[in-house]
Amino acid sequence: MKPICPGNPLDRYASRREFLHVGLVGGLGLTLPQFLRQQAKADQKFYETREGVAKGIIHIFLPGGLAHQESFDPKPFAPAEYRGPFGAIDTKIPGVQFGEKLAELAGLADKMTIIRSMSHGEAAHERGTHNMFTGYRPSPALEYPSYGSVISHELGPKNNLPPYVCVPNVPNEFAGSGYLSSAFGPFALGSDPANGNFQVRDLNLPGGCDEFRFNRRRSLLETVDAHFRGLEKSDAIDAMDSFYQHAYKLISSETAREAFNLKAEPDAIKDEYGRNDAGQRMLLARRLVEAGTRFVSLTVGGWDHHDNIKGNIEGQLPKVDKAIAALIRDLERRGMLDSTLVMVTTEFGRTPKINTTGGRDHWPNVFSVMMAGGGFKQGYVHGSSDALGGGVDTDGITVEDLSTTIYNQIGITADKELMAPGGRPIEIVDGGHVLDVLLAKKA
């Protein structure tokens, strides 16, 4: 007789086939929903999470849809109405050019993997963003968890730091825990690191509260929680308990609190990153990953340039270029680049032709993303768009494959099934494959 679930005492009474008889289910004291949940667990695909090449991930998301033509995939030989307002510059990769406003990253291209053949077919901001934060197309039937929440669920906290942090705030509704418990949601700073008076909310003890009073309040809270937990069992109570535990550890750990302390950084480092939103957010992300946070999600700017793409790119892209370049250099200096994955994404690209208001419109048919560190190849360009930047020409990559590869690098097998409400096992990513072509060969 094949066990339904190893270690389950019900296994000695009935086979899987016999369990289909509702009368037997009732006779064993199980309701039908309880039985179905038990069966789903028995059928659930499971893989142990392992130690990955990447110990931390910094996801830099540029909301609105960064134009690939003005950044990682310029078209210098296309007609002017397709080429756009900027020129192209050589990079450290022979024969490869970036848009001229990525001058600093062009000098570090030999540290990166550039993918020029991403596509997903979703032209709406919300749907494109959902894809790039979860690895799934949106569904009206289920709310999927974000990368950060899955990583929090699978790997948990390290060094008393939240495993998933959003800088400066939760960027959108798709960056949350989805069908997973809200205990795996992101920790949001509530303040911008670029502000002169930057302070993470709720990180310090309230005024007049010393350590003795702090611990006494904790004991009282645990007593109250235990009472209510006996009356009601719910995700909200469990999640709140988890939040409290993490909060107490964060507040009581000097090492954890210090990870958020940008004042500890030398002025020269702050200047290298740039004393602006892009620079200081990325600097804080480095401090958090260095201290033990597993996934940092940060956003910079707005890139929905339907009008005046020239002025908008000139106003925003140089500081982002400087900040990402500083992050890569800083990680390498500290010996962290190989173990930290920096990924720069956006929800889609922009139309190949400049429109009548000097901008580009939504275009999910092809766009670019950048990866650095975390076991990805260095100095590598994957795939290509066509001559006008309007579609994938060679070696197209899906969101599912990219997501599976990202999870692989941090040690998660992406076709593992997690349990959704109603006892439904759902794959972390549905149908993706690890893209070995993007990864550095193991020594």
Side-chain angles (χ1 to χ4, degrees), residues 1-14 16 19 38 41-42:
M1 184 182 300
K2 183 180 179 181
I4 290 178
C5 187
N8 189 337
L10 297 174
D11 291 344
R12 65 180 182 269
Y13 294 118
R16 182 187 304 275
F19 257 127
Q38 191 74 274
K41 288 181 181 179

Side-chain angles (χ1 to χ4, degrees), residues 289-307:
V289 168
E290 187 174 30
T293 296
R294 299 185 187 276
F295 191 93
V296 178
S297 181
L298 68 90
T299 57
V300 182
W303 307 87
D304 193 22
H305 299 155
H306 293 278
D307 309 295

Side-chain angles (χ1 to χ4, degrees), residues 90-280:
D90 292 335
T91 72
K92 279 287 188 73
I93 307 173
V96 174
Q97 294 186 314
F98 288 172
E100 66 175 88
K101 297 304 176 182
L102 290 182
E104 293 209 33
L105 285 176
L108 290 171
D110 58 336
K111 308 294 182 187
M112 309 170 191
T113 283
I114 306 297
I115 301 172
R116 287 177 165 175
S117 54
M118 287 294 305
S119 66
H120 56 54
E122 301 287 354
H125 286 295
E126 295 79 8
R127 295 181 69 85
T129 300
H130 185 284
N131 273 350
M132 302 308 291
F133 271 79
T134 69
Y136 271 90
R137 289 187 174 185
S139 165
L142 191 63
E143 187 177 350
Y144 294 99
S146 63
Y147 295 133
S149 289
V150 171
I151 289 169
S152 175
H153 179 273
E154 291 297 294
L155 296 173
K158 183 169 65 174
N159 298 341
N160 291 328
L161 277 159
Y164 175 25
V165 177
C166 285
V167 179
N169 295 299
V170 180
N172 55 67
E173 60 187 301
F174 313 119
S177 57
Y179 61 73
L180 296 176
S181 166
S182 53
F184 303 108
F187 177 87
L189 304 185
S191 180
D192 195 331
N195 295 338
N197 59 348
F198 168 66
Q199 186 174 7
V200 180
R201 65 183 175 198
D202 303 328
L203 192 59
N204 298 310
L205 292 176
C209 183
D210 57 21
E211 187 173 350
F212 173 77
R213 294 181 64 190
F214 174 72
N215 289 327
R216 185 175 64 181
R217 289 182 184 182
R218 177 178 181 176
S219 177
L220 289 171
L221 181 61
E222 288 172 346
T223 301
V224 172
D225 281 352
H227 169 73
F228 283 104
R229 188 173 290 103
L231 299 177
E232 178 184 1
K233 184 70 175 176
S234 71
D235 170 62
I237 292 179
D238 286 345
M240 187 60 68
D241 180 66
S242 176
F243 290 145
Y244 284 142
Q245 295 299 325
H246 290 324
Y248 278 120
K249 289 178 181 178
L250 189 59
I251 294 171
S252 61
S253 168
E254 183 178 349
T255 301
R257 293 199 309 273
E258 184 63 18
F260 294 90
N261 182 18
L262 274 180
K263 294 179 181 178
E265 289 291 332
D267 287 343
I269 295 294
K270 293 178 183 177
D271 292 339
E272 182 182 359
Y273 277 82
R275 293 178 182 261
N276 50 52
D277 54 355
Q280 298 307 291

Side-chain angles (χ1 to χ4, degrees), residues 425-442:
I426 304 293
E427 291 181 338
I428 293 173
V429 180
D430 183 12
H433 300 86
V434 176
L435 296 168
D436 290 323
V437 68
L438 303 181
L439 304 178
K441 292 182 179 179
K442 295 179 180 178

